[in-house]
Amino acid sequence: MKSLFSKKVIAVLMVLLLASSLAAACGKNNANEGSKNNTGNPATNNGGSKDSNQSSGPANLTVWHPLNPNAQAVVQSLSDVAMVQEWEKKTNVKFKFEHPTGTNADAQQQFGVMVASGSYPDLIIWHMSNFQGGPAKLYQDGVIMKLNDLIDQHAPNLKKILDENPLIAKQIKADNGDIYVFPNLKIGDHGKYKTFSGQMIREDWLKELNLEAPETVDEWENVLRKIKEAKGIFPYTSEKGTLLGSSSSMDFIGAYGIGKDFYLEGKQVQYGPLQPGFKDYLARMQQWYKDGLIDPDYASNDNAAKEAKMTSGKAAATFGYIGGSIGSWLPAMQQSNPDAMLKGVQYPVLNKGDEPKFTETGWDYSNTGALLSSKIKNPEAAIKALDYLLSEEGSLLKNFGIEGTTYNMVDGQPVYTDLIMNNPDKLPVGQAMAKYFIANYPFPGVDDDRYNDQYYALDAQKDAVKVFAQYSHNAASVLLPPIALTPEEASEYGKIMTDINTYRDEVVTKIIMGTAKVESFDQALEQFKKMGIDRAIEIQQAAFDRFQNR
């Protein structure tokens, strides 16, 4: 009996041992599989997306990114865009897009709610100025991760650009050397266009009245008066925030040798409204408004109202964009008036022969790009997919779409097909592009000027880009680079400038409309001091000095 019992015990133990071994083996395999699917933070896990992509299918990534107006008109999501689908195939990644709705302010509110919830997407693609305190604050708050190691290990295209172009690296890096953004860049032989907007005027009316395109402020005044007399309209229109409001655009202020906000004079940061020339500007605008040269509704117009006035002939000139303004307004005008024509006009100066310095010109880094959230489970796959857009093949895909469908190579140059240039559904060129690829997006990767050469299909657009870009090189002497405030500075600066901008816009509007005297701006200067403008300048100066030392 004892022998039989011992044999039974031994048999049971052998079965248990075998089962235990099988469980351990399965557990090991599952653990390996789990590490492939969930690589975690690269700072604590050296796993990569290569094995994950090969062994377990595409990496799934969520992307938060506002749709631009052209895309909103033709797609529900970037997932519907053929270029994105091809990008997914090339990089073995599956993107799920989350698009906020409404205006930029609405998107900022929705972003704030999302951050407060603690639930973040894998990627966030937007302009960095939309984040209070910038990427450094998001990193400090644990919302995003830094990318230095990921770029060194998994982004050879971006790493090569940064290694070979110290000034670009300087623009992208934080003051301490951290990199938080996978950037959108305008570089190389096909990245010279950095000016896309400026003053534009009805060229057919200039010819009709035997007038030359204005260059100086005095010439502008003469032209606007002649058009008003001949056409019985308020010739210069604008929209809320453009005539020295808080939105970013240069109207006539640059002619007075100052910027509308912060700018450089040598290596010193200055604030435009504090300079004597600012009152001269206000006096001129007030007189123009009094004389009926400026649209009386300028302070309440939205873009649609401004567009309606330009296309209906109720206005003759405004500040606008080569693509979104000339490209859409001119065809609308010519439907009712085939002779209608718009002309891009050089940024105004005070004296004939002066070269404008204050132009709507950007740096190599557009301050737009992708942030990787701290919640991302596969950062390597994300960084590899983004880096693909910096490759020659990826850049063509981003800017031109799919060869044979949206473009063909002709004599070594990518040329859009009729699907884009003469869309069978009658889509405007900008919307046709947005339906098939993301060239007209502030999206990670390299922008290619050969896209603009074709996007600007109208002769008026081709002429305007040359006019606006003629003196864009001068802006480097006055344009603040993409400096970075510390989170503490950003918080303090934001509070100061929110109050100052609101107050400034209110005062400027009253003066231009004549309900307050130009001399009353002296009181505003005193109020700026009380509100902390000197401290705001000090913060900007410190950030610029740090940028210089990067």
Side-chain angles (χ1 to χ4, degrees):
M1 288 289 294
K2 183 176 181 181
S3 175
L4 180 60
F5 175 79
S6 298
K7 289 181 180 180
K8 288 182 178 181
V9 170
I10 291 171
V12 170
L13 289 174
M14 290 180 67
V15 170
L16 291 174
L17 182 60
L18 178 60
S20 176
S21 299
L22 288 171
C26 290
K28 182 178 180 181
N29 289 338
N30 289 338
N32 288 339
E33 202 63 23
S35 105
K36 291 173 184 175
N37 287 325
N38 186 351
T39 58
N41 191 317
T44 58
N45 189 322
N46 292 323
S49 63
K50 181 177 180 181
D51 291 339
S52 170
N53 292 344
Q54 290 179 349
S55 303
S56 55
N60 294 303
L61 298 171
T62 53
V63 184
W64 191 94
H65 177 56
L67 281 175
N68 76 7
N70 278 330
Q72 289 177 16
V74 290
V75 297
Q76 295 295 314
S77 167
L78 285 187
S79 295
D80 303 330
V81 175
M83 169 263 151
V84 172
Q85 295 168 5
E86 184 68 14
W87 182 28
E88 291 176 328
K89 293 177 185 176
K90 291 289 186 179
T91 58
N92 203 23
V93 168
K94 184 67 177 176
F95 297 108
K96 180 181 179 182
F97 287 91
E98 301 171 3
H99 300 301
T101 57
T103 65
N104 192 65
D106 295 328
Q108 286 180 314
Q109 183 178 24
Q110 292 168 54
F111 179 81
V113 171
M114 179 181 69
V115 169
S117 74
S119 179
Y120 320 137
D122 297 315
L123 293 168
I124 301 161
I125 298 175
W126 212 11
H127 196 281
M128 298 303 113
S129 65
N130 289 306
F131 306 117
Q132 181 67 34
K137 181 66 163 62
L138 292 177
Y139 177 71
Q140 185 184 71
D141 292 345
V143 178
I144 64 171
M145 62 192 301
K146 67 178 179 180
L147 309 179
N148 300 59
D149 291 342
L150 283 167
I151 290 170
D152 284 343
Q153 298 169 20
H154 304 291
N157 295 305
L158 179 56
K159 181 173 172 53
K160 184 173 187 289
I161 290 171
L162 299 182
D163 288 346
E164 295 178 355
N165 299 274
L167 182 57
I168 295 175
K170 196 173 182 178
Q171 295 170 47
I172 293 169
K173 291 181 178 179
D175 297 325
N176 63 359
D178 284 353
I179 299 176
Y180 306 119
V181 185
F182 197 99
N184 168 264
L185 298 171
K186 295 174 176 64
I187 58 174
D189 293 338
H190 305 307
K192 297 177 182 178
Y193 292 166
K194 297 182 176 69
T195 307
F196 306 101
S197 56
Q199 302 284 4
M200 49 194 63
I201 197 167
R202 285 289 296 268
E203 185 180 25
D204 53 318
W205 289 355
L206 292 179
K207 291 180 178 178
E208 179 185 328
L209 300 174
N210 198 28
L211 297 168
E212 296 292 328
E215 294 180 1
T216 69
V217 174
D218 285 342
E219 288 174 351
W220 265 97
E221 181 170 326
N222 178 61
V223 164
L224 294 177
R225 289 189 187 283
K226 296 292 186 183
I227 292 175
K228 176 179 171 57
E229 293 169 3
K231 301 296 180 181
I233 61 172
F234 300 103
Y236 192 88
T237 191
S238 182
E239 63 183 289
K240 183 178 181 180
T242 302
L243 277 178
L244 258 294
S246 55
S247 68
S248 174
S249 65
M250 296 292 181
D251 44 43
F252 297 93
I253 186 67
Y256 294 83
I258 56 178
K260 64 178 296 182
D261 286 307
F262 297 93
Y263 67 98
L264 288 174
E265 191 173 274
K267 293 185 178 181
Q268 294 299 309
V269 175
Q270 305 286 358
Y271 181 62
L274 298 185
Q275 310 308 312
F278 193 85
K279 286 176 66 177
D280 296 334
Y281 164 84
L282 289 178
R284 181 69 68 120
M285 293 299 104
Q286 186 186 73
Q287 189 63 51
W288 284 11
Y289 187 90
K290 179 181 178 181
D291 295 346
L293 305 185
I294 295 176
D295 179 2
D297 299 325
Y298 86 88
S300 59
N301 285 338
D302 58 12
N303 184 66
K306 183 177 80 169
E307 178 178 349
K309 291 179 180 182
M310 287 296 296
T311 56
S312 65
K314 293 181 179 179
T318 191
F319 185 96
Y321 295 87
I322 301 170
S325 301
I326 296 178
S328 60
W329 298 352
L330 189 53
M333 291 177 182
Q334 292 179 340
Q335 285 184 357
S336 57
N337 180 5
D339 294 327
M341 183 55 62
L342 285 171
K343 178 179 180 62
V345 184
Q346 189 50 259
Y347 289 86
V349 294
L350 279 185
N351 303 305
K352 197 74 170 179
D354 286 352
E355 293 187 1
K357 291 183 178 180
F358 292 89
T359 63
E360 289 291 313
T361 305
W363 287 74
D364 304 303
Y365 164 48
S366 68
N367 211 26
T368 297
L371 307 172
L372 272 64
S373 89
S374 58
K375 305 289 186 180
I376 189 169
K377 292 183 172 61
N378 204 332
E380 295 89 347
I383 214 77
K384 288 179 179 180
L386 292 168
D387 193 60
Y388 172 78
L389 296 178
L390 290 174
S391 69
E392 183 176 354
E393 181 181 89
S395 179
L396 284 171
L397 180 63
K398 173 186 181 294
N399 288 280
F400 301 98
I402 299 174
E403 186 173 4
T405 301
T406 54
Y407 80 97
N408 291 311
M409 295 300 292
V410 179
D411 297 328
Q413 299 298 315
V415 177
Y416 291 126
T417 65
D418 282 345
L419 184 64
I420 303 301
M421 303 306 297
N422 297 288
N423 184 264
D425 296 325
K426 307 300 181 184
L427 293 176
V429 172
Q431 291 183 11
M433 288 178 169
K435 185 175 181 178
Y436 294 100
F437 49 92
I438 54 175
N440 52 355
Y441 270 79
F443 207 83
V446 174
D447 289 348
D448 193 317
D449 289 343
R450 294 175 296 180
Y451 138 74
N452 281 316
D453 289 338
Q454 297 171 81
Y455 176 42
Y456 299 152
L458 305 174
D459 289 339
Q461 292 175 295
K462 297 181 188 298
D463 292 339
V465 73
K466 295 175 184 176
V467 170
F468 295 156
Q470 182 177 1
Y471 298 110
S472 61
H473 60 278
N474 290 337
S477 65
V478 295
L479 180 67
L480 275 172
I483 59 178
L485 308 186
T486 67
E488 294 75 21
E489 287 174 338
S491 177
E492 183 182 5
Y493 176 83
K495 292 175 183 177
I496 293 172
M497 292 312 300
T498 296
D499 292 340
I500 287 179
N501 286 336
T502 300
Y503 175 68
R504 181 196 65 178
D505 291 356
E506 178 184 336
V507 171
V508 165
T509 300
K510 285 181 178 179
I511 291 175
I512 291 177
M513 289 186 167
T515 58
K517 295 182 179 180
V518 174
E519 291 74 21
S520 68
F521 197 70
D522 292 335
Q523 297 175 355
L525 294 177
E526 295 177 8
Q527 189 63 25
F528 289 155
K529 297 284 186 180
K530 294 177 182 177
M531 298 171 84
I533 189 60
D534 289 337
R535 175 56 182 154
I537 295 172
E538 186 179 88
I539 290 172
Q540 289 277 359
Q541 184 71 55
F544 174 70
D545 292 342
R546 291 196 300 269
F547 175 87
Q548 292 289 86
N549 294 323
R550 286 180 186 175

